[in-house]
Amino acid sequence: MSRTWAILFVLIGGASYGLISPVIKMAYEAGFTPGDVTSSQYFMATAVLLLISAFQFRHFKQLTGRDVLLFIFLGVLSTGTSVFYYLALADLPASLAIVLLFQFAWIVMLIDFLVTRKKPNKAKWAALVLILAGTVFAVDLLHANWGAVSMTGLVLGLLSSVTYSTFLYFTSYVRAGTSPWVNSAIIAMASTVVVFFVFPPTFLWNGTLWDGLWFWALLIGALGQIFPPVFFNIGIPRVGGSLAGVLGSIELPVAVIAAFVILREHVAGVQWVGILLILAGIVVSELRMRSRRRDMAQA
């Protein structure tokens, strides 16, 4: 697989996460509780991934104990991100919670430095500055309701960023040649077990699943637990965890645009500026990487 395709897969995975927010809002407006929406989406995603993986049984035999432990670890991190972020939203303005989550752009770089001892190059620093500045503008943070800020919310928001950063980085350790569907199924199973401890699966016996919840569970599960892990499993091992942190920032522009198109929410001019800055950060990082590879090939 070419690097271009790998980058595209990571971007698709990040964009899928960006579509979740407006869809979840629609599910809430349909009358379903956060607990039912969260637990049912993991349940439905796991069921779909297991069904698909059943046709790739031979790939299970190729997995080592290290592979399975890595996938379980990624599953716990995935759940941690969702739980910490949802709890942070209960104590913080949505705009500030998103900014805290998006600290993964530099936390991934920090993890990469701690693991490899390689300092980020100038292109990554430039991309980081553009992305963080763009994040502040894209969520119009300057007009956020600071009176609603709580220390608990700040801690939870930062924890969601740490778990997401760790998930992105360690996905690069997935062994090449393994099935992304099988890998994602194991990640989803681990995630679902943890989620059920936080949000018990009451939807299985209270009747809401067949009152329309199944549709939202399937849609949100696909956007949050099927597409991202599958595409990340394909792309991140080929582009590296550090670049994945940059590419993953596509989530916010997609979320803002989706809110504008789907929910008809107002998007201020400064937010469009923020979106352009984030996209510029992604482009700057990748163009610089391409230039370096071209120079090395000509040397």
Side-chain angles (χ1 to χ4, degrees):
M1 176 187 295
S2 69
R3 181 180 175 84
T4 300
W5 276 105
I7 289 173
L8 179 61
F9 282 134
V10 177
L11 288 173
I12 293 174
S16 295
Y17 277 136
L19 291 171
I20 291 178
S21 296
V23 175
I24 285 180
K25 285 187 177 181
M26 294 171 68
Y28 291 166
E29 290 173 359
F32 300 107
T33 66
D36 279 347
V37 170
T38 303
S39 56
S40 65
Q41 75 182 70
Y42 277 89
F43 174 80
M44 196 67 75
T46 300
V48 171
L49 287 168
L50 285 175
L51 180 62
I52 295 174
S53 299
F55 295 95
Q56 300 184 349
F57 184 76
R58 61 185 179 85
H59 288 284
F60 278 101
K61 298 179 180 179
Q62 299 174 357
L63 297 178
T64 64
R66 172 193 173 279
D67 293 330
V68 174
L69 288 175
L70 175 60
F71 299 144
I72 292 174
F73 177 56
L74 293 175
V76 173
L77 290 172
S78 176
T79 305
T81 301
S82 298
V83 172
F84 289 140
Y85 185 62
Y86 292 163
L87 292 176
L89 283 172
D91 290 329
L92 297 175
S95 56
L96 181 54
I98 293 174
V99 169
L100 291 172
L101 174 63
F102 263 68
Q103 299 310 301
F104 72 78
W106 66 266
I107 295 177
V108 170
M109 292 173 58
L110 176 61
I111 294 173
D112 185 54
F113 172 72
L114 293 175
V115 174
T116 66
R117 295 299 177 182
K118 293 181 180 178
K119 295 181 179 180
N121 56 40
K122 293 181 179 179
K124 286 184 179 179
W125 281 117
L128 177 62
V129 170
L130 287 170
I131 289 169
L132 292 181
T135 301
V136 172
F137 287 123
V139 299
D140 201 8
L141 185 63
L142 299 179
H143 294 95
N145 180 15
W146 289 96
V149 174
S150 75
M151 184 57 66
T152 300
L154 290 174
V155 172
L156 289 169
L158 287 173
L159 284 174
S160 72
S161 183
V162 170
T163 53
Y164 188 44
S165 303
T166 310
F167 173 84
L168 287 174
Y169 186 79
F170 282 96
T171 298
S172 64
Y173 283 75
V174 172
R175 188 165 53 87
T178 57
S179 168
W181 294 101
V182 172
N183 300 350
S184 298
I186 298 174
I187 292 173
M189 283 190 291
S191 298
T192 302
V193 170
V194 178
V195 164
F196 280 1
F197 278 105
V198 181
F199 299 111
T202 56
F203 66 91
L204 290 174
W205 57 79
N206 65 12
T208 56
L209 185 64
W210 306 117
D211 284 339
L213 179 62
W214 67 269
F215 170 77
W216 299 107
L218 184 59
L219 179 57
I220 299 171
L223 293 173
Q225 281 70 52
I226 297 178
F227 294 150
V230 169
F231 287 125
F232 285 164
N233 267 269
I234 296 173
I236 292 180
R238 291 167 175 79
V239 303
S242 183
L243 180 58
V246 175
L247 298 175
S249 59
I250 193 68
E251 175 185 343
L252 183 54
V254 171
V256 175
I257 294 172
F260 174 73
V261 175
I262 299 174
L263 301 178
R264 303 298 181 184
E265 292 186 358
H266 173 69
V267 178
V270 67
Q271 292 178 276
W272 292 114
V273 172
I275 289 173
L276 292 176
L277 286 174
I278 292 173
L279 296 177
I282 295 173
V283 172
V284 165
S285 178
E286 178 53 20
L287 288 180
R288 179 57 183 157
M289 290 294 292
R290 286 179 180 271
S291 176
R292 289 184 61 189
R293 289 196 302 274
R294 185 167 55 248
D295 292 342
M296 292 176 62
Q298 294 176 353

